[in-house]
Structure formats: C-alpha cells, structure tokens
Amino acid sequence: LFKIECAGTLLNSGGKQIGESNFYSDAGLTLANLQTQTAHSEEDADVVRVGWNQDLTYAMNWFRPVQLSPRAGIRETYYTKDKQGGPERPQGRREVISGQFVSGLDASLKLFRLFPVVTNVLGLNINQLRHVVTPTIDYDYVRRPTVLNSLLSFGSAAVAKNSMLIGVENKLQTKRGDAGGAMKGVDIARFLLS
C-alpha cells in the first residue's frame, strides 16, 4: 500500500480584525489531490479535496481583567467522490460536500501582584517583579459532519466533541531598560498547566 498526496493551503487569513469592531474573522482554503494504491492489485482510491473554513470571534473585556471570546464557524469540504461502493456504484458517488458547525468560548481572568524587588542576582536584572496568574477555560463544541469520514476515502472532518479544557498560566515579569533608556516589560519565567 502506498499513498500519494499533493496538498497546499491556498488562503489563511489568520484572525483579522473586522474594521474597528471587536469581531475577528479567520478563513482558510485548502486543496489536496490524494491517491492510494494497493500493491499487486487494481484497487486504488483517489479524490480531489477542497476545504473551506470560516470562523467569527467576538473579543470582549469585562471589568478589564475578565476576557470572554465567543466563537462560531463552519467547515465545508468538497470531495470529487466518496469511497468506491459495491457493484451498484464501483466508481463511488460523485461530488460530495461535507459540512460541520463549530463553536466555543474562551474565558480568562488576569490576576497580578507587584513586588518592589530590585536585584541583579544570577544576572537577571530585575527591576520590580510582577507575578501574573491567568486561569483559563476553553469550551469547544464540534458537530458531527454531514458526511461521515467512514464514507470517504480521505475524510478530513474533525471528530464531534463537546469538551471543556481548564488551565492556569503563571508568569514572572520584570522591567528592563532598552537602548533609549525606556523601561519595557519582559517575561522571566512562564509555566502552563492544563
């Protein structure tokens, strides 16, 4: 069994802000030409797959330290054909479109405390120490795709899920002078737990 794959990302907008609003849009377009062939056999599977995704996020702050970002999106994937069937459709059904709805919410709370420490122990050049603790909650909902991966030779749909991930980020920060003498915030240490 060997696999041939030719794939590429045609577009990835990377979360662009929409005007002056708190809305952000993330879009992507991919193209793939996929094929597998079994050794010493006439059996093979091939498909051209075009994927498109669109996500919309609204970033908002509540009382400054609380950040909420609800999001919703859609994934659409076009396949030139599904898996080859039995004698009734040996070449598979042509032109299959699979869709999937996704949504979620990111929430975080930034808490910090300043310590009046000035030292150069271990060459760290610390001018005031700031400890930042940020607990986070990430909720994800991914709906079952309209065409299951099991019906496609090269299915790419995400697995349906309804999950929540809780994490905590700890940071130690200080201020250091740059070449112009202005003080600038710098991370000394960062620890993530999720």
Side-chain angles (χ1 to χ4, degrees):
L1 176 73
F2 69 90
K3 185 187 290 188
I4 300 170
E5 179 174 341
C6 178
T9 300
L10 303 177
L11 168 74
N12 186 356
S13 69
K16 302 280 185 190
Q17 187 173 7
I18 300 174
E20 299 293 320
S21 72
N22 288 345
F23 283 100
Y24 291 81
S25 175
D26 187 7
L29 182 64
T30 60
L31 173 67
N33 184 9
L34 306 163
Q35 180 178 10
T36 61
Q37 188 166 13
T38 305
H40 310 294
S41 172
E42 295 295 319
E43 291 183 31
D44 71 341
D46 64 311
V47 69
V48 174
R49 181 176 71 201
V50 180
W52 169 77
N53 68 286
Q54 178 70 51
D55 293 325
L56 187 64
T57 303
Y58 184 77
M60 60 181 148
N61 287 343
W62 279 0
F63 313 111
R64 200 165 229 329
V66 178
Q67 294 182 344
L68 294 174
S69 298
R71 63 184 181 280
I74 190 165
R75 313 272 183 269
E76 293 286 337
T77 308
Y78 166 80
Y79 298 86
T80 53
K81 64 181 178 180
D82 63 2
K83 275 188 178 174
Q84 293 181 358
E88 69 279 356
R89 52 185 188 94
Q91 296 301 314
R93 195 177 86 210
R94 299 291 178 180
E95 300 179 0
V96 179
I97 296 178
S98 177
Q100 202 168 18
F101 174 75
V102 296
S103 65
L105 174 73
D106 293 328
S108 66
L109 171 65
K110 191 172 284 196
L111 305 168
F112 68 91
R113 181 170 180 189
L114 292 174
F115 298 94
V117 176
V118 177
T119 184
N120 196 18
V121 173
L122 301 173
L124 290 176
N125 188 20
I126 296 174
N127 300 301
Q128 294 191 344
L129 192 60
R130 180 178 170 187
H131 181 210
V132 182
V133 177
T134 310
T136 60
I137 296 174
D138 180 17
Y139 171 72
D140 283 318
Y141 172 75
V142 179
R143 177 129 168 80
R144 178 179 63 83
T146 56
V147 177
L148 299 176
N149 283 339
S150 61
L151 299 176
L152 302 165
S153 296
F154 300 94
S156 66
V159 176
K161 69 177 178 177
N162 189 7
S163 66
M164 185 179 300
L165 181 66
I166 298 173
V168 176
E169 178 185 38
N170 271 292
K171 277 193 209 177
L172 287 177
Q173 299 175 322
T174 189
K175 289 188 176 183
R176 294 189 181 143
D178 60 10
M183 298 299 270
K184 187 176 182 180
V186 177
D187 290 349
I188 297 174
R190 183 173 179 229
F191 177 72
L192 294 171
L193 179 66
S194 61

